[in-house]
Amino acid sequence: MKQSIPWNRLVAEGAVIVASILLAFAIDAWWDERADDIQERALLTGLVEDFHAASEDLNRARTLHEAKSVAAAQLLSWAESEGSGDIRAEQVERAISTMFAHPTFDPPMGTVRTILGSGRLDLLGNPELVRELTRWSALFEDLREDEENAKRHLYQSLFPFLSQRLNLKDLDKTSYMQWPGDKALTDANRLLSSVEFQSIVFMAWSLEKNVAEGLVPAEAAIDRITRLVEEDLAR
C-alpha cells in the first residue's frame, strides 16, 4: 500500500523551522544593535569627560602662553624705551625667565583615537560629530606643532644668545636665571640695546601669537564637540 505524504505536518514543521531561524536572526540583530548602543554610549561618555578636561587644559595653556607673550612684548617695549637705564635688571630677568616657561596644550586624546582608529565610525550615530572629531585631531596636531616651533626657537636662538652673556642656572629644568648682581644694570642695558636680542625676542613674540591664534579655533571646536556629545547623551 502506498504511504501518503503528511504534507500538513511537513509544512507546519517547516514553518516552525523558518520561524525559528527568523527569530534567531532577529535576536542576533537586536543584540548587535543593543551592543552597538552600549558601545556608543560608552564612547560618548568618554568623549564628554575628555573634552571637559581638554577645556580646562586649554585655559591653563592659554594663561601661560599669554604670560610668555606679555613678557616678550615687555622686553621689546623696554628695548625701545629711551629710559632703559631706569629698568631694573631683576625686571628683565623675570621677563626672560617667564619666556622659558613650557606651556603645552595636552588634552586627553584616548577616546578620540579609539574612535578614529577602530574603523567603526558608524558606532557614532551623529555624522556631524564624526566630522568634528576628525577635524579636531588635525587641529590638535597643528597646535602642537605651533607650540613646538615656539619652544624650539627659544632653545635654538634665545638660549645660546643668553648663555654667552649671562649666568644661566639650570634653565632647562627650573626656568630660573641667576643674574650677576654686580653687573646687573650694565648687563641689562646692554642686553636690551642689542639688535640681535630684540630680533630674537620679536620672533619669540610672533611665534607665541601663532599659538594664541591656534587656541581660538581649538576652543571653539571643544565647545562644539562637547555640545554635540551632550545632546546625543541626552537622547
Side-chain angles (χ1 to χ4, degrees):
M1 180 178 178
K2 186 176 180 180
Q3 187 176 4
S4 63
I5 300 175
W7 291 110
N8 291 338
R9 182 170 62 83
L10 292 177
V11 170
E13 290 178 352
V16 170
I17 293 173
V18 171
S20 299
I21 294 173
L22 292 176
L23 178 61
F25 282 145
I27 292 174
D28 285 344
W30 173 84
W31 183 255
D32 288 342
E33 183 177 351
R34 175 175 168 76
D36 285 349
D37 289 343
I38 293 173
Q39 290 185 59
E40 180 186 19
R41 190 161 190 85
L43 292 173
L44 291 173
T45 301
L47 284 174
V48 77
E49 291 174 354
D50 285 357
F51 278 90
H52 281 155
S55 180
E56 294 177 1
D57 194 68
L58 184 140
N59 289 330
R60 175 197 59 80
R62 177 167 49 200
T63 298
L64 292 173
H65 280 295
E66 286 177 350
K68 292 182 66 174
S69 181
V70 168
Q74 181 64 80
L75 287 168
L76 293 173
S77 176
W78 284 334
E80 295 173 358
S81 173
E82 295 180 0
S84 59
D86 298 330
I87 299 168
R88 297 175 57 191
E90 290 80 4
Q91 294 175 284
V92 179
E93 174 189 342
R94 192 178 303 113
I96 294 175
S97 296
T98 299
M99 289 182 62
F100 277 97
H102 300 302
T104 300
F105 179 46
D106 191 24
M109 293 290 289
T111 307
V112 173
R113 286 171 178 154
T114 296
I115 293 171
L116 297 181
S118 67
R120 289 296 313 276
L121 297 180
D122 58 299
L123 286 174
L124 298 180
N126 189 337
E128 184 180 358
L129 177 58
V130 173
R131 289 193 296 271
E132 286 291 346
L133 291 177
T134 303
R135 294 190 191 111
W136 168 253
S137 186
L139 188 63
F140 167 70
E141 293 300 330
D142 289 343
L143 184 54
R144 287 297 293 270
E145 184 177 354
D146 288 340
E147 287 185 321
E148 285 300 313
N149 288 337
K151 178 181 176 181
R152 191 179 303 114
H153 171 71
L154 291 175
Y155 283 93
Q156 290 182 354
S157 299
L158 185 57
F159 187 91
F161 176 86
L162 293 174
S163 65
Q164 298 174 13
R165 295 161 176 81
L166 304 174
N167 178 24
L168 304 178
K169 181 181 178 182
D170 295 331
L171 189 58
D172 287 344
K173 300 177 181 178
T174 66
S175 297
Y176 176 77
M177 181 180 300
Q178 183 63 48
W179 200 288
D182 57 339
K183 297 181 181 180
L185 187 59
T186 303
D187 285 353
N189 288 330
R190 184 180 301 139
L191 187 66
L192 291 173
S193 64
S194 167
V195 175
E196 183 180 358
F197 175 75
Q198 295 173 22
S199 177
I200 292 172
V201 172
F202 178 77
M203 178 57 69
W205 176 83
S206 299
L207 291 171
E208 284 298 328
K209 288 306 240 183
N210 287 341
V211 174
E213 290 174 1
L215 288 171
V216 174
E219 182 177 30
I222 289 173
D223 291 343
R224 287 195 303 271
I225 292 171
T226 301
R227 174 181 56 78
L228 289 170
V229 172
E230 289 177 343
E231 288 176 355
D232 286 350
L233 282 173
R235 292 172 185 169

